[in-house]
């Protein structure tokens, strides 16, 4: 079995130093997160600032080559990174989980290496010749969450590095070791100080967002923290990309074959045990197919194993932390008091471990109940019955978030017409949550602003410069 000791030795603080990090499946301590001070963060930003001009001056070809070499380094350590991620985050090795996440890191690095952001000719009319060029912003602060800690770090750092920025990464307090290990591996291929990871407490995150030498903040996390980062940007005028989660609705239309969509619906909702920003979090199903859809989802739930992520059979894991477990538990208990019907699950799976909560399908529930209106970010899905599709569209749009959404049905044109009326950054048809390194991804309303991925993602970590004449 692949050992993660080498990676841990590279990044973990010595015993008695740092903050113990627990495996959410077993409660075991797996390592100690170094706790940087604000002064150490300041020193890291100064190093990144000093390294930036030379990194940008290397040019596109050399930076692309470095990103490809960094992807090679990830591939060479893929199994170790996946095992460390599984132990720290809780997600299983198999399924769309730890190995998949490490593979996505490599894919995103390579795609960004291959992207081109060419200058555009804006006006060329014989009198005026104006071109739009893009250059690096400067130093990018990357602040990430605990649900997809490696993949989201790469979503932030790969385009930023590609454009010639240097990057300071601040991992979530819950998953620092795997992010530190990833950055250590990437740094086998990158010049000194182009990419620095600093793990520390809230003061370190807040300082990174407000630091006068940070030019751009890439943030993925809660809406509350996003608002604080916006406030900080009034001080340093940092440009922001904010990905703040959501409460994605799915609409299942009449005539849908429940059995045919059940697997995709299930994984749309329960990928990473529901701890995914663009997961399906409210499912609106037409009365004519409601019972079939609920039953088909229950069949998939029963057949999908949950448990310790290192067990090759499991594809669902624990909640990553107590805070998230308590949110899910509270929302399900509240749904019960409102008369909702628990189809599967419905109470903690303590026989598996303290932070396990089973797949919980909640039927006969309505808008206004907290499990529908609040982001559960876990394995509990409210399934709401509707009879008029106009009501389902109104329900999908009634909340102040809009990251993703989906429409499911046999008629693609009809589904596309409904998709055009959903207020979210992405609407999928007959699937939910798939992302692609060439397709821009971002939210509207309370889900944040700015997009990641593709050429639009490069523009988000660049500043325009017009050459006129
Ligand atoms: P937070 O928004 O609190 O944390 C996200 C990141 O921001 C972490 O790295 C955190 O560091 C950092 N941070 C916290 N406070 C500040 C600050 N003032 N300035 C700068 N950075 C800061 O999310 P949580 O992890 O607490 O999760 C809370 C909720 O957020 C979840 O219940 C879920 O609903 C949502 N969420 C959404 C995600 C998404 O994909 N959009 C991902 C994860 C959570 P530290 O960990 O050290 O506090």
């Amino acid at each position: 079995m692949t050992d993660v000791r080498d990676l841990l030795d590279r990044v973990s603080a010595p015993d008695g130093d740092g903050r113990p990090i627990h495996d959410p499946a077993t409660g075991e301590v797996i390592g100690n997160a170094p706790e940087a001070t604000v002064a150490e963060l300041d020193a890291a930003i100064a190093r990144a600032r000093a390294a930036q001009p030379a990194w940008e001056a290397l040019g596109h070809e050399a930076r692309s080559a470095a990103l490809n070499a960094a992807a090679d380094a990830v591939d060479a350590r893929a199994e170790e990174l996946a095992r460390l991620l599984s132990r720290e985050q809780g997600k299983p090795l198999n399924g769309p989980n730890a190995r998949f996440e490490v593979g996505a890191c490599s894919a995103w690095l390579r795609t960004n290496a291959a992207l081109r952001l060419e200058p555009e000719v804006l006006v060329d009319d014989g009198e005026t010749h104006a071109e739009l060029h893009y250059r690096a912003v400067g130093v990018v602060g990357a602040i990430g969450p605990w649900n997809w800690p490696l993949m989201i770090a790469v979503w932030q750092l790969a385009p930023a590095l590609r454009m010639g920025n240097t990057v300071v990464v601040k991992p979530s307090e819950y998953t620092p070791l795997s992010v530190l290990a990833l950055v250590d591996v990437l740094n086998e291929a990158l010049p000194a100080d182009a990419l620095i990871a600093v793990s520390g407490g809230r003061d370190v995150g807040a300082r990174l967002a407000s630091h006068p030498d940070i030019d751009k903040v890439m943030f993925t996390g809660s809406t509350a923290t996003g608002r604080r980062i916006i406030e900080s940007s009034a001080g340093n005028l940092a440009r922001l990309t904010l990905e703040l989660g959501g409460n994605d609705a799915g609409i299942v239309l009449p005539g849908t074959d429940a059995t045919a969509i059940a697997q995709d619906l299930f994984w749309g909702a329960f990928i990473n045990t529901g701890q995914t920003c663009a997961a399906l979090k409210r499912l609106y199903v037409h009365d004519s197919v409601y019972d079939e859809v609920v039953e088909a989802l229950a069949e998939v739930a029963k057949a999908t194993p949950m448990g310790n992520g290192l067990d090759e059979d499991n594809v669902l894991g624990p909640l990553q932390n107590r805070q998230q477990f308590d949110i899910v538990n509270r929302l399900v208990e509240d749904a019960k008091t409102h008369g909702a019907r628990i189809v599967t699950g419905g109470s903690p799976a303590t026989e598996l471990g303290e932070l396990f909560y089973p797949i919980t399908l909640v039927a006969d529930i309505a808008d206004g109940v907290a499990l529908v209106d609040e982001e559960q970010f876990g394995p509990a899905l409210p399934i709401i019955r509707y009879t008029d599709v106009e009501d389902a569209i109104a329900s999908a749009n009634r909340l102040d978030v809009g990251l993703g959404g989906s429409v499911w049905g046999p008629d693609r044109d009809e589904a596309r017409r409904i998709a055009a009326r959903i207020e979210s950054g992405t609407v999928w048809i007959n699937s939910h949550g798939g992302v692609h390194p060439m397709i821009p991804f971002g939210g509207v309303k309370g889900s944040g602003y700015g997009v990641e991925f593709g050429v639009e993602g490069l523009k988000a970590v660049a500043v325009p410069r017009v050459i006129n004449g």
Side-chain angles (χ1 to χ4, degrees):
M1 192 175 80
T2 308
D3 191 3
V4 297
R5 184 51 40 208
D6 176 49
L7 278 185
L8 275 173
D9 284 347
R10 284 160 69 165
V11 299
S12 184
D15 281 345
D17 210 356
R19 193 168 44 82
I21 298 294
H22 299 266
D23 179 334
T26 61
E28 285 164 14
V29 173
I30 60 171
N32 300 296
E35 290 277 83
T37 62
V38 165
E40 286 166 329
L41 173 73
D42 287 351
I45 295 172
R47 279 164 36 219
R49 169 63 65 196
Q52 194 273 327
W55 174 242
E56 186 171 10
L58 272 183
H60 285 291
E61 295 303 325
R63 287 198 306 275
S64 287
L67 286 196
N68 280 322
D72 293 342
V74 170
D75 289 345
R77 294 275 186 168
E79 184 63 13
E80 288 162 89
L81 284 167
R83 284 183 177 273
L84 177 55
L85 175 63
S86 180
R87 293 213 63 195
E88 185 179 49
Q89 204 284 334
K91 65 181 65 188
L93 290 170
N94 286 325
N97 292 300
R99 288 178 178 136
F100 165 85
E101 180 167 352
V102 175
C105 292
S106 169
W108 248 262
L109 286 160
R110 291 187 200 286
T111 302
N112 275 278
L115 281 176
R116 291 279 175 277
L117 179 50
E118 305 290 356
E120 292 166 45
V121 176
L122 301 171
V123 179
D124 187 20
D125 59 5
E127 209 170 293
T128 302
H129 181 87
E131 293 176 359
L132 182 58
H133 294 240
Y134 293 92
R135 61 193 173 85
V137 188
V139 182
V140 171
I143 303 177
W146 46 261
N147 55 342
W148 292 91
L150 301 190
M151 194 171 76
I152 290 175
V154 169
W155 288 358
Q156 298 173 335
L157 66 86
L161 290 170
R162 175 69 184 77
M163 285 308 296
N165 304 284
T166 52
V167 182
V168 178
V169 176
K170 210 294 293 175
S172 161
E173 65 187 296
Y174 295 112
T175 50
L177 295 172
S178 40
V179 175
L180 292 175
L182 172 74
V183 167
D184 215 56
V185 168
L186 294 172
N187 273 327
E188 292 172 7
L190 297 171
D193 297 334
L195 174 64
I196 303 172
V198 179
S199 102
R202 286 273 149 104
D203 51 342
V204 168
R207 175 67 174 165
L208 180 59
S210 61
H211 196 286
D213 242 1
I214 289 292
D215 302 294
K216 164 95 195 186
V217 177
M218 305 278 288
F219 173 75
T220 298
S222 64
T223 305
T225 306
R227 286 186 204 284
R228 281 197 284 279
I229 288 173
I230 293 169
E231 283 165 12
S232 298
S233 74
N236 60 3
L237 289 179
R239 289 150 193 260
L240 305 178
T241 297
L242 301 174
E243 204 274 76
L244 306 179
N247 196 343
D248 292 8
I251 299 177
V252 179
L253 300 172
T256 304
D257 178 344
T259 320
I261 64 166
Q263 281 283 344
D264 289 340
L265 263 186
F266 181 88
W267 285 110
F270 297 113
I271 185 167
N272 200 22
T273 316
Q275 301 163 107
T276 298
C277 44
L280 205 176
K281 291 171 181 152
R282 305 174 276 153
L283 184 60
Y284 294 87
V285 182
H286 190 264
D287 183 48
S288 59
V289 287
Y290 187 88
D291 293 336
E292 289 92 318
V293 168
V294 171
E295 200 179 310
L297 277 173
E299 289 303 315
V300 181
K302 280 180 212 141
T304 308
M306 175 182 280
N308 189 318
L310 295 182
D311 180 332
E312 299 277 349
D313 291 337
N314 292 326
V315 288
L316 297 163
L319 273 306
Q320 204 283 327
N321 53 73
R322 170 64 59 185
Q323 168 188 284
Q324 201 58 51
F325 178 93
D326 288 344
I327 291 172
V328 172
N329 198 21
R330 169 178 64 80
L331 291 174
V332 173
E333 290 305 316
D334 176 76
K336 288 182 197 168
T337 67
H338 283 84
R341 174 165 60 95
I342 304 296
V343 182
T344 62
S347 52
T350 38
E351 68 282 7
L352 296 174
E354 272 188 24
L355 294 182
F356 283 89
Y357 203 95
I359 296 296
T360 298
L361 299 171
V362 184
D364 301 335
I365 186 169
D367 285 357
V369 178
L371 179 61
V372 181
D373 287 13
E374 293 178 27
E375 186 183 29
Q376 69 279 54
F377 217 71
L381 180 68
I383 309 172
I384 304 114
R385 192 188 297 265
Y386 75 86
T387 49
D388 182 341
V389 72
E390 291 299 320
D391 293 338
I393 296 168
S395 287
N397 291 336
R398 64 182 266 277
L399 301 180
D400 187 28
V401 280
L403 187 58
S406 55
V407 183
W408 306 71
D411 179 343
R412 184 163 169 269
D413 291 338
E414 187 195 8
R416 285 173 63 89
R417 277 193 297 277
I418 292 168
R421 297 173 60 196
I422 305 291
E423 295 165 6
S424 65
T426 303
V427 188
W428 290 275
I429 292 171
N430 289 326
S431 69
H432 195 113
V435 289
H436 186 289
M438 291 300 288
I439 302 176
F441 175 72
V444 298
K445 303 200 277 189
S447 293
Y449 50 75
V451 291
E452 301 179 83
F453 315 162
V455 172
E456 294 306 315
L458 289 188
K459 290 181 184 172
V461 282
V463 283
R465 173 165 45 200
V466 172
I467 309 285
N468 191 343

